[in-house]
Amino acid sequence: MKVDAHQHFWRLADREGQWPPPALEAIYRDFGPQDLAPHLQAAGIDATVLVQSMPSVADTHWMLSVAAATPWVRGVVGWVDFKAADAPAQIDALARDPLLKGLRPMLQDLPDDDWIADPACAPAAEAMQRHGLVFDALVLPRQLPALRRFAERHPGLSIVIDHAAKPAIARGEMAPWRADIATLAALPQVHCKLSGLLTEAGDRRDAAALQPYAQALWELFGPGRLLWGSDWPVLRLAADYADWWQLAHALGAQFKPIPQPDDLRALFGGNATRLYRLHPC
């Protein structure tokens, strides 16, 4: 399958006081399957992973209902409060739905960069591991050291770094992002998404600006642990769906060492299918 490993839906009526603000006109409206379907069809994409964008269990239940009614949404990454006393019970309940494939605390929005390294997160992480769920890490570069400590504490928990931890592409900065993400890539259970890069690029939205970061991910995670995602509709702040799909393929064609055809099939679908245990078409 060709898989978009990272996309969102939302209803503004559910998000009062939440992101996005009205100033972001390109994404300040409802987005649902009917909006994404034409883009998937044009790109020949078979399946998607629907990822949370609001810290709400109710929103997770809504996403699961959307996935149940949308054949090409093959998995949902939801949310629970990892430090809640009943977090393991919440995870047990949500995991009864086979469409739940992972969970994502919104770490980038938390004031404590070491939040995820707190041992208080261990019961939730252990519950995720029991159910074979994937931990989606929405982090910024400064939070990578804490994520590494969390990953080292839970070697049996599959982890995927969303949007490559949002490196400072607009400023052309590689350090310390590359060194910190390399320490995570050294852990075999850690994966990374080739997603969200264009919205971090500012005015530098071309292959030349993105190539050093994409190449670093290819070198660090290899063909078996890198997943392509659109981050749509957030992507609309920077480009159209087709633009990022084509640019990602252009970046892949420039990787060193040169990818084999099976490597690119893994990047654009196979790795997501395996990691999230998606059902085939």
Side-chain angles (χ1 to χ4, degrees), residues 1 7 20 23 26 36 44 58 62 73 80-81 86 103 116 130 132 135 141 145 147 192 199 202 218 250 252:
M1 293 192 297
Q7 54 94 185
L36 180 56
W62 174 72
V73 177
V80 299
D81 179 354
D86 66 342
L103 294 170
I116 194 59
R130 286 197 302 273
F135 182 92
L147 180 62
C192 188
T199 47
W218 182 252

Side-chain angles (χ1 to χ4, degrees), residues 163-237:
H163 316 321
K166 298 189 173 183
I169 301 171
R171 299 194 299 271
E173 295 178 0
M174 292 288 287
W177 167 81
R178 194 192 191 284
D180 287 337
I181 209 166
T183 66
L184 279 152
L187 304 176
Q189 85 272 28
V190 179
H191 303 66
C192 188
K193 289 184 183 178
L194 184 68
S195 64
L197 299 185
L198 279 176
T199 47
E200 301 304 316
D203 295 330
R204 305 174 72 238
R205 299 172 188 163
D206 56 29
L210 269 59
Q211 187 64 33
Y213 300 89
Q215 176 63 35
L217 297 175
W218 182 252
E219 293 172 5
L220 294 171
F221 291 94
R225 291 186 291 144
L226 197 58
L227 297 66
W228 179 84
S230 69
D231 197 27
W232 183 95
V234 182
L235 172 67
R236 288 167 53 93
L237 296 171

Side-chain angles (χ1 to χ4, degrees), residues 113-196:
D113 287 346
D114 289 330
W115 189 93
I116 194 59
D118 187 341
C121 294
E126 291 162 3
M128 287 187 66
Q129 189 173 332
R130 286 197 302 273
H131 294 287
L133 299 176
V134 176
F135 182 92
D136 267 58
L138 178 62
V139 292
L140 300 173
R142 67 176 187 267
Q143 295 165 321
L144 289 171
L147 180 62
R148 187 196 72 247
R149 296 198 298 275
F150 172 78
E152 289 172 340
R153 190 175 293 136
H154 303 285
L157 177 65
S158 293
I159 296 172
V160 60
I161 303 171
D162 291 346
H163 316 321
K166 298 189 173 183
I169 301 171
R171 299 194 299 271
E173 295 178 0
M174 292 288 287
W177 167 81
R178 194 192 191 284
D180 287 337
I181 209 166
T183 66
L184 279 152
L187 304 176
Q189 85 272 28
V190 179
H191 303 66
C192 188
K193 289 184 183 178
L194 184 68
S195 64

Side-chain angles (χ1 to χ4, degrees), residues 2 36-45 241-242 245-246:
K2 291 182 181 177
L36 180 56
H39 300 295
L40 301 179
Q41 185 174 9
I45 293 172
Y241 196 100
W245 175 248
Q246 293 163 8

